[in-house]
Amino acid sequence: MTALFSKAVALAALSSLLLVSYAAGARAGNFSASDFTADPNWEAARATWYGAPTGAGPMDDGGACGFKNTNQYPFSSMTSCGNEPIFKDGKGCGSCYQIRCTNDPSCSGKPETVVITDMNYYPVSKYHFDLSGTAFGAMAKPGLNEKLRHSGIIDIQFKRVPCEFPGLKVTFHVEHGSNAVYFAVLVEYEDGDGDVVQVDLMEANARSWTPMRESWGSIWRIDSNHRLQAPFSMRITNESGKQLVADKIIPANWAPSASYRSIVQFS
């Protein structure tokens, strides 16, 4: 099955699904349309899939969040688009969810964990996970991965869970195009909430933090009116309000497209 065919299956099913109330079993009133946070109970959603049947979504590059090599550890192709209540205009990038399906005969009912790496622009329900082919198939009984993918749009249940990236610390990838007066960085591999709602930068010999602006996805930038003086310290804040400081993590000789792994991690 090609990516085009998988989308065609989903779109073909959409017209009939819209005639059915997707909210059955969901407690939609408990959450705003833009802020789904941790909840101990399973919630109702629908799921589709895109990309290659055993791939990680859009050419394995992470899509609208900016993550790279999502087919490799730690994402390992277990990735998903989220519609706006999950994607949160990029601030949901990196958050982790358990998903399971039970209504389709091919479903195992076993929970699987996925990471939000992309945006879903055409939701079929209030909460919609457009999964990688790998993640969608992982919900199937042994040997029925392909059969489940042929189901197109399915009912699932989901809940927010803490992210765990064993062996990894928070990493900062300096984006292509960064220079002496423009600095952009991708923040990756945050345990716990998994997402970042604010990033601040402190220049060498400075005494205060400069707030960075969200550029897109999990990429944050600063447009300066002077030449930025490295090394830079980075401070990140997650959705729960916890902060981490990576002291002088970006060296004086930093380079665009380089990654710098810190020694700090959310507990």
Side-chain angles (χ1 to χ4, degrees):
M1 177 184 284
T2 65
L4 180 61
F5 182 71
S6 68
K7 285 294 187 183
V9 171
L11 290 173
L14 176 58
S15 59
S16 61
L17 285 170
L18 292 178
L19 299 177
V20 181
S21 173
Y22 64 79
R27 303 196 311 278
N30 291 354
F31 308 103
S32 74
S34 61
D35 187 21
F36 185 87
T37 54
D39 185 85
N41 301 306
W42 292 96
E43 301 297 328
R46 290 191 187 264
T48 52
W49 67 277
Y50 73 133
T54 56
M59 302 297 289
D60 300 330
D61 68 356
C65 287
F67 301 131
K68 307 294 190 296
N69 303 314
T70 52
N71 59 321
Q72 301 175 17
Y73 182 81
F75 300 119
S76 303
S77 299
M78 292 296 289
T79 59
S80 180
C81 298
N83 65 314
E84 187 50 36
I86 298 167
F87 183 75
K88 304 176 188 175
D89 198 26
K91 289 184 172 63
C93 287
S95 53
C96 297
Y97 291 86
Q98 278 191 340
I99 57 171
R100 67 184 182 189
C101 66
T102 56
N103 291 343
D104 191 286
S106 300
C107 292
S108 71
K110 176 184 174 182
E112 300 289 344
T113 300
V114 296
V115 182
I116 299 302
T117 59
D118 205 350
M119 170 65 182
N120 176 3
Y121 295 94
Y122 304 102
V124 299
S125 63
K126 181 173 182 177
Y127 301 120
H128 177 191
F129 290 78
D130 196 14
L131 301 158
S132 69
T134 298
F136 196 97
M139 294 186 292
K141 295 175 182 176
L144 297 183
N145 310 63
E146 190 64 20
K147 186 174 181 181
L148 182 61
R149 282 190 287 265
H150 275 283
S151 296
I153 303 176
I154 63 172
D155 294 318
I156 66 167
Q157 295 174 319
F158 76 105
K159 64 179 177 179
R160 180 82 176 268
V161 294
C163 292
E164 297 180 355
F165 300 114
L168 294 179
K169 303 297 184 182
V170 176
T171 300
F172 300 88
H173 177 86
V174 179
E175 291 297 291
H176 177 75
S178 294
N179 55 56
V181 295
Y182 167 80
F183 184 78
V185 65
L186 168 70
V187 187
E188 301 179 290
Y189 315 140
E190 306 88 47
D191 281 355
D193 286 359
D195 52 22
V196 174
V197 299
Q198 181 58 48
V199 179
D200 305 304
L201 178 148
M202 184 182 291
E203 297 180 63
N205 302 318
R207 295 183 178 180
S208 61
W209 293 97
T210 300
M212 300 184 75
R213 298 172 58 192
E214 186 179 15
S215 184
W216 59 275
S218 196
I219 297 172
W220 296 75
R221 77 174 192 270
I222 185 168
D223 301 279
S224 177
N225 58 6
H226 66 274
R227 294 181 66 86
L228 296 165
Q229 299 298 312
F232 304 140
S233 296
M234 306 296 298
R235 183 175 67 183
I236 60 175
T237 305
N238 70 10
E239 189 173 11
S240 296
K242 295 180 180 179
Q243 292 186 326
L244 279 182
V245 173
D247 188 48
K248 298 180 175 60
I249 182 60
I250 309 298
N253 62 342
W254 65 266
S257 303
S259 291
Y260 301 96
R261 184 174 297 180
S262 75
I263 59 171
V264 297
Q265 182 59 277
F266 288 106
S267 58

mmCIF file of all heavy atoms in Angstrom, residues 6 18 23 34 49 67 80-81 92 119 122 175 181 185 187 199 204 240 255:
data_model
loop_
_atom_site.group_PDB
_atom_site.id
_atom_site.type_symbol
_atom_site.label_atom_id
_atom_site.label_comp_id
_atom_site.label_asym_id
_atom_site.label_seq_id
_atom_site.Cartn_x
_atom_site.Cartn_y
_atom_site.Cartn_z
ATOM 1 N N SER A 6 -3.170 4.946 1.119
ATOM 2 C CA SER A 6 -3.614 4.991 2.515
ATOM 3 C C SER A 6 -4.459 6.221 2.779
ATOM 4 O O SER A 6 -5.439 6.165 3.508
ATOM 5 C CB SER A 6 -2.407 4.961 3.462
ATOM 6 O OG SER A 6 -1.668 6.132 3.376
ATOM 7 N N LEU A 18 -18.515 10.828 9.206
ATOM 8 C CA LEU A 18 -19.039 12.108 9.658
ATOM 9 C C LEU A 18 -20.516 12.026 10.028
ATOM 10 O O LEU A 18 -21.051 12.915 10.676
ATOM 11 C CB LEU A 18 -18.815 13.176 8.585
ATOM 12 C CG LEU A 18 -17.355 13.557 8.358
ATOM 13 C CD1 LEU A 18 -17.248 14.578 7.241
ATOM 14 C CD2 LEU A 18 -16.732 14.094 9.640
ATOM 15 N N ALA A 23 -18.049 11.431 19.282
ATOM 16 C CA ALA A 23 -17.867 11.739 20.696
ATOM 17 C C ALA A 23 -18.376 10.653 21.633
ATOM 18 O O ALA A 23 -18.231 10.756 22.838
ATOM 19 C CB ALA A 23 -18.562 13.056 21.039
ATOM 20 N N SER A 34 -7.699 23.468 22.727
ATOM 21 C CA SER A 34 -6.295 23.761 22.440
ATOM 22 C C SER A 34 -5.332 23.266 23.512
ATOM 23 O O SER A 34 -4.150 23.544 23.445
ATOM 24 C CB SER A 34 -6.103 25.274 22.277
ATOM 25 O OG SER A 34 -6.451 25.935 23.480
ATOM 26 N N TRP A 49 -3.546 6.436 9.102
ATOM 27 C CA TRP A 49 -2.097 6.310 8.978
ATOM 28 C C TRP A 49 -1.657 6.878 7.641
ATOM 29 O O TRP A 49 -2.462 7.034 6.714
ATOM 30 C CB TRP A 49 -1.640 4.868 9.140
ATOM 31 C CG TRP A 49 -2.062 3.912 8.047
ATOM 32 C CD1 TRP A 49 -3.258 3.261 7.940
ATOM 33 C CD2 TRP A 49 -1.290 3.503 6.915
ATOM 34 N NE1 TRP A 49 -3.284 2.475 6.827
ATOM 35 C CE2 TRP A 49 -2.080 2.588 6.169
ATOM 36 C CE3 TRP A 49 -0.009 3.802 6.472
ATOM 37 C CZ2 TRP A 49 -1.628 1.990 4.993
ATOM 38 C CZ3 TRP A 49 0.440 3.196 5.300
ATOM 39 C CH2 TRP A 49 -0.357 2.299 4.572
ATOM 40 N N PHE A 67 11.701 17.368 13.845
ATOM 41 C CA PHE A 67 12.583 16.283 14.272
ATOM 42 C C PHE A 67 13.156 15.556 13.059
ATOM 43 O O PHE A 67 12.484 15.405 12.035
ATOM 44 C CB PHE A 67 11.830 15.288 15.160
ATOM 45 C CG PHE A 67 11.248 15.893 16.401
ATOM 46 C CD1 PHE A 67 9.920 15.660 16.752
ATOM 47 C CD2 PHE A 67 12.004 16.702 17.218
ATOM 48 C CE1 PHE A 67 9.380 16.206 17.898
ATOM 49 C CE2 PHE A 67 11.474 17.263 18.374
ATOM 50 C CZ PHE A 67 10.158 17.016 18.709
ATOM 51 N N SER A 80 3.442 10.005 15.319
ATOM 52 C CA SER A 80 2.087 10.357 14.917
ATOM 53 C C SER A 80 1.947 11.845 14.682
ATOM 54 O O SER A 80 2.603 12.657 15.345
ATOM 55 C CB SER A 80 1.090 9.935 16.005
ATOM 56 O OG SER A 80 -0.242 10.271 15.642
ATOM 57 N N CYS A 81 1.072 12.202 13.756
ATOM 58 C CA CYS A 81 0.544 13.560 13.679
ATOM 59 C C CYS A 81 -0.518 13.702 14.775
ATOM 60 O O CYS A 81 -1.173 12.728 15.151
ATOM 61 C CB CYS A 81 -0.151 13.812 12.348
ATOM 62 S SG CYS A 81 0.865 13.682 10.880
ATOM 63 N N GLY A 92 2.949 20.931 21.373
ATOM 64 C CA GLY A 92 2.745 19.524 21.709
ATOM 65 C C GLY A 92 3.779 18.610 21.082
ATOM 66 O O GLY A 92 3.755 17.393 21.313
ATOM 67 N N MET A 119 1.859 17.561 12.388
ATOM 68 C CA MET A 119 0.548 18.195 12.507
ATOM 69 C C MET A 119 -0.447 17.523 11.575
ATOM 70 O O MET A 119 -0.128 17.233 10.420
ATOM 71 C CB MET A 119 0.659 19.689 12.157
ATOM 72 C CG MET A 119 -0.665 20.416 12.018
ATOM 73 S SD MET A 119 -1.576 20.483 13.574
ATOM 74 C CE MET A 119 -3.079 21.334 13.067
ATOM 75 N N TYR A 122 -6.346 17.739 8.788
ATOM 76 C CA TYR A 122 -7.689 17.348 8.339
ATOM 77 C C TYR A 122 -8.273 16.317 9.299
ATOM 78 O O TYR A 122 -8.420 15.147 8.967
ATOM 79 C CB TYR A 122 -7.630 16.799 6.918
ATOM 80 C CG TYR A 122 -7.006 17.767 5.941
ATOM 81 C CD1 TYR A 122 -5.686 17.606 5.511
ATOM 82 C CD2 TYR A 122 -7.732 18.866 5.475
ATOM 83 C CE1 TYR A 122 -5.105 18.511 4.623
ATOM 84 C CE2 TYR A 122 -7.158 19.774 4.599
ATOM 85 C CZ TYR A 122 -5.855 19.590 4.177
ATOM 86 O OH TYR A 122 -5.276 20.486 3.308
ATOM 87 N N GLU A 175 19.916 25.030 13.817
ATOM 88 C CA GLU A 175 19.290 24.933 12.510
ATOM 89 C C GLU A 175 20.136 25.584 11.409
ATOM 90 O O GLU A 175 20.863 26.567 11.645
ATOM 91 C CB GLU A 175 17.905 25.588 12.539
ATOM 92 C CG GLU A 175 16.905 24.818 13.384
ATOM 93 C CD GLU A 175 16.634 23.424 12.834
ATOM 94 O OE1 GLU A 175 16.021 23.319 11.753
ATOM 95 O OE2 GLU A 175 17.035 22.440 13.483
ATOM 96 N N VAL A 181 23.638 36.963 13.936
ATOM 97 C CA VAL A 181 22.518 37.768 14.424
ATOM 98 C C VAL A 181 21.180 37.017 14.397
ATOM 99 O O VAL A 181 20.156 37.560 14.807
ATOM 100 C CB VAL A 181 22.389 39.080 13.611
ATOM 101 C CG1 VAL A 181 23.603 39.966 13.836
ATOM 102 C CG2 VAL A 181 22.191 38.792 12.135
ATOM 103 N N VAL A 185 17.223 26.971 17.038
ATOM 104 C CA VAL A 185 17.628 25.695 17.612
ATOM 105 C C VAL A 185 16.416 24.780 17.766
ATOM 106 O O VAL A 185 15.319 25.221 18.128
ATOM 107 C CB VAL A 185 18.340 25.916 18.968
ATOM 108 C CG1 VAL A 185 17.384 26.501 19.990
ATOM 109 C CG2 VAL A 185 18.972 24.637 19.489
ATOM 110 N N VAL A 187 14.933 21.664 19.843
ATOM 111 C CA VAL A 187 15.109 21.035 21.148
ATOM 112 C C VAL A 187 14.526 19.626 21.096
ATOM 113 O O VAL A 187 13.370 19.440 20.694
ATOM 114 C CB VAL A 187 14.431 21.851 22.260
ATOM 115 C CG1 VAL A 187 14.767 21.279 23.630
ATOM 116 C CG2 VAL A 187 14.839 23.319 22.175
ATOM 117 N N VAL A 199 11.763 28.647 25.499
ATOM 118 C CA VAL A 199 13.210 28.488 25.455
ATOM 119 C C VAL A 199 13.833 29.877 25.617
ATOM 120 O O VAL A 199 13.383 30.836 24.991
ATOM 121 C CB VAL A 199 13.683 27.846 24.137
ATOM 122 C CG1 VAL A 199 15.207 27.722 24.115
ATOM 123 C CG2 VAL A 199 13.041 26.473 23.952
ATOM 124 N N ALA A 204 27.313 34.788 26.380
ATOM 125 C CA ALA A 204 28.519 34.800 27.204
ATOM 126 C C ALA A 204 28.615 36.129 27.957
ATOM 127 O O ALA A 204 28.362 37.201 27.380
ATOM 128 C CB ALA A 204 29.751 34.603 26.325
ATOM 129 N N SER A 240 4.624 21.460 32.261
ATOM 130 C CA SER A 240 4.324 21.444 33.692
ATOM 131 C C SER A 240 4.967 22.605 34.440
ATOM 132 O O SER A 240 4.767 22.748 35.645
ATOM 133 C CB SER A 240 4.804 20.121 34.310
ATOM 134 O OG SER A 240 4.106 19.023 33.763
ATOM 135 N N ALA A 255 28.389 25.630 15.054
ATOM 136 C CA ALA A 255 28.195 25.606 13.603
ATOM 137 C C ALA A 255 26.747 25.256 13.275
ATOM 138 O O ALA A 255 26.126 24.450 13.976
ATOM 139 C CB ALA A 255 29.134 24.593 12.959
#
